[in-house]
Amino acid sequence: MTETPKNKVLNQNIGKSSPAHVVDVYAGRPAQGHSGNLTGNRRILKDSSAEIFNYMQNWKLYQDRGCVVISNIFNLRLELTGVRFPDRLSGLVNELKTLCDKMAEVVKNLKIKLKNLIAVSVLEKSNATPLFISWTAGHFCKVTEGLVEAYQKELKLHQSLLLRIADCTDPNVLLFYLSCWTYQPYLDHSIEKQLHCMIKETRHV
């Protein structure tokens, strides 16, 4: 590897994603062909979609904060090249661990929502009529399953990076870990697209 330039301090905004937005579970327009407050399975699907969207926004906040923490670890390693365990390192690693724990909670909540959607899909199995615009209950399940699978893989990557970052003393390698954390290879643009399609389908936007 090439030598890391001295005094190369990382910008605190590195790796930040687009701003997170929150969807009001109780907001939005009624389902197509229905007026007033929704009930039953439509209500479950609408509320679950908003909650899934908001879980993803929480993940985005933890992800962005993690980029800042890893950047701070990188800068600390540059500042104290001869010290294996600087005093400030423990606090930064602990914060990164807390962020990973919060990400794990997001995945746990996603799995719970998926179980709820599967239950609705079973009840609606004989109903081929879309509950909102064009999606059946089964399609809500299919999309959510894809989200859960992608975020599970990304969580495992983040947890693996956490262990490596804690012991890494090479700034060049830390830059590689920061890149892995930042670009989230298992969360491509299709994930974001499907998420927004779900919110549009349930007429939250």
Side-chain angles (χ1 to χ4, degrees):
M1 293 185 179
T2 58
E3 185 179 356
T4 304
K6 293 185 178 181
N7 301 321
K8 181 183 177 182
V9 177
L10 291 183
N11 189 306
Q12 291 296 309
N13 291 320
I14 190 169
K16 284 202 171 184
S17 57
S18 57
H21 300 282
V22 174
V23 168
D24 187 346
V25 172
Y26 301 103
R29 295 169 289 171
Q32 186 166 301
H34 300 269
S35 59
N37 292 328
L38 295 179
T39 59
N41 290 339
R42 284 188 177 88
R43 180 82 261 173
I44 294 173
L45 289 174
K46 188 178 180 73
D47 291 354
S48 295
S49 296
E51 289 167 352
I52 288 170
F53 182 89
N54 290 336
Y55 291 147
M56 300 299 92
Q57 304 315 295
N58 288 338
W59 175 287
K60 185 178 292 187
L61 292 173
Y62 306 147
Q63 164 74 10
D64 286 349
R65 180 58 194 169
C67 291
V68 174
V69 174
I70 300 172
S71 297
N72 288 338
I73 293 174
F74 171 87
N75 292 333
L76 182 63
R77 288 300 188 188
L78 281 184
E79 180 185 347
L80 303 171
T81 55
V83 183
R84 184 168 180 79
F85 299 109
D87 292 337
R88 284 176 285 164
L89 179 64
S90 178
L92 292 170
V93 171
N94 286 338
E95 183 177 359
L96 199 61
K97 181 182 183 303
T98 298
L99 292 170
C100 281
D101 290 342
K102 289 180 178 180
M103 288 173 156
E105 190 68 22
V106 167
V107 173
K108 178 182 176 182
N109 289 332
L110 278 177
K111 290 180 179 179
I112 293 172
K113 290 301 168 188
L114 177 58
K115 287 183 179 180
N116 294 342
L117 293 177
I118 290 174
V120 171
S121 180
V122 171
L123 293 174
E124 293 285 339
K125 191 172 184 179
S126 60
N127 182 14
T129 304
L131 295 177
F132 291 92
I133 302 172
S134 62
W135 288 20
T136 62
H139 192 68
F140 277 94
C141 287
K142 181 180 179 181
V143 169
T144 305
E145 284 174 352
L147 292 174
V148 170
E149 182 179 356
Y151 277 90
Q152 274 185 310
K153 290 179 179 178
E154 197 60 49
L155 174 62
K156 288 182 179 179
L157 174 60
H158 279 56
Q159 290 170 333
S160 176
L161 290 172
L162 169 65
L163 298 176
R164 287 167 169 76
I165 288 169
D167 294 327
C168 183
T169 59
D170 187 337
N172 287 301
V173 177
L174 280 172
L175 279 179
F176 172 72
Y177 293 155
L178 175 59
S179 177
C180 292
W181 181 286
T182 300
Y183 293 107
Q184 304 189 102
Y186 296 108
L187 303 183
D188 57 26
H189 292 298
S190 66
I191 297 295
E192 189 85 9
K193 183 178 179 180
Q194 289 176 342
L195 191 58
H196 281 279
C197 285
M198 181 184 289
I199 294 300
K200 287 184 178 179
E201 175 68 21
T202 50
R203 299 172 73 82
H204 279 98
V205 293

